[in-house]
Amino acid sequence: MKQLRLGVLTGLFVVAGVLSWAGARLWASIDSLPGVPVAAPIVLALIAAVLLATALSLRARLRAQRERRPGAKGVDPMLAARAVVFGQASALVAALVAGVYGGVGVHLLTQLAEMPARRTQALYAGFSVLAGAAIVAAAFFLERVLRLPEDDDTAPAADAA
């Protein structure tokens, strides 16, 4: 499994942002642009909280297992793999969604002089971008918690030489 790359997530964010900004301009010139739902930042923040809670829980279980505490529950490898896949998928989707709301938010900010009522919509879009960034951060943390120690296969050969 490959690790998340910040460059890929940033690229997704920028491309989605530019495309949604252009789409929002086009849509606004043809008709009225639909509003940003208030539930968008709330749902994204809930996903970030679930990822963070998962990472903290697994980190505590792994620490207890390493310290050989009595009654410590181990971490099932399949559970860990599923958690990492969930984190990576969430980060990719969050980068895309945050880019879309970022592009719409930039368009809404440029329209504030003409339509002051769009201020709350721009705030919702901004909070959605922040919640998307929180998902990405939580996914990176989860991936760091569940990273396997690197195999040091070259060490015995180097010692023998």
Side-chain angles (χ1 to χ4, degrees), residues 145-158:
V145 165
L146 294 175
R147 184 176 302 146
L148 293 174
E150 293 184 26
D151 291 334
D152 200 10
D153 292 336
T154 60

Side-chain angles (χ1 to χ4, degrees), residues 58-77:
L58 290 173
R59 184 177 71 165
R61 288 172 63 181
L62 286 170
R63 182 177 295 145
Q65 186 178 10
R66 265 193 313 269
E67 294 172 356
R68 305 212 190 284
R69 292 184 192 156
K73 291 169 60 175
V75 176
D76 179 35

Side-chain angles (χ1 to χ4, degrees), residues 22-34:
R25 284 191 55 174
L26 179 64
W27 194 331
S29 69
I30 295 172
D31 197 8
S32 177
L33 182 68

Side-chain angles (χ1 to χ4, degrees), residues 103-141:
V104 170
V106 167
H107 173 72
L108 290 172
L109 286 175
T110 60
Q111 300 297 315
L112 282 180
E114 299 170 9
M115 301 175 75
R118 291 287 190 173
R119 177 165 304 192
T120 57
Q121 300 297 311
L123 280 174
Y124 295 156
F127 287 142
S128 296
V129 171
L130 290 176
I135 289 174
V136 170
F140 273 114
F141 179 61

